[in-house]
Amino acid sequence: MTQAPIKAPNLTPQTSDTINVTLRVNGKAHTLQIEPRVTLLDALREYIGLTGSKKGCDHGQCGACTVLADGRRINSCLSLAVMYDDVEITTIEGLAHGDELHPVQAAFIKHDGFQCGYCTPGQIMSAVALLEEGCPTSDEGIRECMSGNICRCGAYPGIVAAVQEVRASQG
């Protein structure tokens, strides 16, 4: 007696419906047709071509993917793009004005707030947001407010110095 062959599971990804989403990124609208499960990070990097926001841990633990959504910092790897339809998204590419760096970007360079640079875009976006959020002004307070962003190279003293310089310049 012969047995029927065991059928292998279908490992081909199932297609799903796509939806239209309009992401306003760095002042420009991008209408995308994407699957509802596409993260904001993937939409920015793979559909719009803005690769400044980094995919680090992809679990919201390292902060390399930090962007601003209506001025508030978020981990774009944990956020679905459809949730940000018509919300103003700011990425690292949107901070500078032409050749003029954002004050936080300039301070990071001045104080060597980066080493390998992989985490730097997320660190800078987080620093920009914390200056608006009313975080404590002490070095310890800045470290606490930046605790969602990990730097494996250990550039923390430079990052705190950069934030303190920009804070002082804002009066």
Side-chain angles (χ1 to χ4, degrees), residues 13-171:
Q14 300 295 311
T15 58
S16 65
D17 294 336
T18 59
I19 58 174
N20 285 326
V21 175
T22 299
L23 297 177
R24 289 185 295 137
V25 183
N26 302 329
K28 183 178 177 186
H30 300 268
T31 300
L32 310 173
Q33 188 164 355
I34 59 175
E35 294 180 1
R37 64 182 178 182
V38 171
T39 66
L40 180 59
L41 177 61
D42 288 340
L44 293 170
R45 291 181 58 85
E46 297 174 18
Y47 290 82
I48 300 175
L50 296 173
T51 57
S53 305
K54 303 301 183 208
K55 184 177 273 198
C57 67
D58 212 20
H59 291 88
Q61 298 173 344
C62 72
C65 65
T66 303
V67 299
L68 306 182
D70 283 340
R72 298 182 57 141
R73 52 186 161 165
I74 62 167
N75 289 329
S76 61
C77 74
L78 296 180
S79 305
L80 296 175
V82 297
M83 298 167 57
Y84 294 92
D85 190 50
D86 230 16
V87 171
E88 184 59 42
I89 305 295
T90 305
T91 68
I92 192 72
E93 292 93 341
L95 283 186
H97 295 286
D99 290 337
E100 183 181 340
L101 294 177
H102 185 280
V104 173
Q105 291 174 305
F108 264 63
I109 292 170
K110 179 180 176 184
H111 293 282
D112 199 20
F114 55 91
Q115 289 182 13
C116 82
Y118 196 81
C119 71
T120 304
Q123 297 275 5
I124 289 173
M125 298 309 292
S126 217
V128 167
L130 85 78
L131 289 166
E132 299 295 321
E133 294 170 354
C135 287
T137 58
S138 66
D139 287 357
E140 185 174 297
I142 291 169
R143 283 192 287 274
E144 177 65 26
C145 288
M146 295 290 292
S147 64
N149 293 79
I150 307 296
C151 171
R152 294 184 180 185
C153 299
Y156 297 114
I159 293 168
V160 171
V163 171
Q164 290 290 28
E165 178 181 298
V166 174
R167 183 186 302 258
S169 72
Q170 292 177 339

